[in-house]
Amino acid sequence: TLAHIKNVQSNLDTAICNLNKRSLGHDLSKLGNKEKPYFDKFTPRLKTMTYNSDEYKATMIEMRPAIDHHYKNNSHHPEFYQDGIKGMSLLDLVEMICDWEAAGKRNPGGNILKSIEINQKRFGYSDELKGILINTAKELGYF
């Protein structure tokens, strides 16, 4: 019925507004004094590294104060939640996959499919969620 269609449209509009708000506020904590000095120093180095390599992991340890602050202030990171990725909403997951795609573009050999694979081991998510992330990345035109 028309009423049902309007209700669904309203619900979708709410989700779109939430995603728009996330887009505008994405990673703003990186501009604050607890993160910016670290990201200014280390981002140029990170751009030359392969994601999850030993060199990458060592750099992340050097950045630990900023990374910890970042995770505590950005719900699109599984580390934000006490129970990790299981605590995330679908909207968190959408923002996360968009973030992973952008991060992959700044690293040599970066690729969303590799990120999904590596992060399945890192965060312990199921093959079912892995498939959903791959389907989402494909639908968004990432490959």
Side-chain angles (χ1 to χ4, degrees):
T1 68
L2 185 57
H4 174 75
I5 292 169
K6 288 185 181 223
N7 283 335
V8 171
Q9 288 173 335
S10 176
N11 292 341
L12 285 168
D13 287 344
T14 299
I16 290 165
C17 286
N18 183 301
L19 288 171
N20 279 327
K21 182 178 175 185
R22 287 168 177 267
S23 173
L24 294 171
H26 180 82
D27 281 355
L28 285 180
S29 65
K30 286 183 178 177
L31 303 177
N33 62 358
K34 293 187 179 181
E35 295 181 31
K36 189 174 184 325
Y38 289 89
F39 282 100
D40 286 351
K41 179 179 178 180
F42 291 104
T43 297
R45 281 182 26 195
L46 287 169
K47 288 180 182 179
T48 67
M49 298 176 195
T50 301
Y51 176 65
N52 217 36
S53 66
D54 290 341
E55 183 183 23
Y56 178 92
K57 289 175 186 176
T59 301
M60 295 304 283
I61 290 169
E62 288 183 72
M63 295 180 67
R64 181 59 46 208
I67 296 298
D68 287 346
H69 183 270
H70 187 73
Y71 291 160
K72 287 178 187 172
N73 288 279
N74 292 278
S75 68
H76 64 278
H77 291 284
E79 297 90 345
F80 179 87
Y81 296 96
Q82 190 170 13
D83 56 350
I85 207 159
K86 292 176 185 166
M88 297 177 84
S89 73
L90 284 174
L91 298 174
D92 288 328
L93 292 171
V94 168
E95 186 175 0
M96 181 185 76
I97 195 84
C98 294
D99 197 24
W100 289 359
E101 167 66 5
K105 286 184 175 182
R106 75 169 179 247
N107 293 96
N111 142 344
I112 191 65
L113 294 175
K114 276 195 227 175
S115 294
I116 291 169
E117 188 72 38
I118 290 168
N119 287 325
Q120 183 181 28
K121 292 178 184 89
R122 180 178 172 193
F123 298 120
Y125 51 79
S126 68
D127 287 341
E128 183 176 44
L129 180 55
K130 176 183 169 183
I132 291 167
L133 294 172
I134 290 169
N135 293 342
T136 302
K138 185 176 182 181
E139 187 171 333
L140 291 173
Y142 296 161
F143 66 91

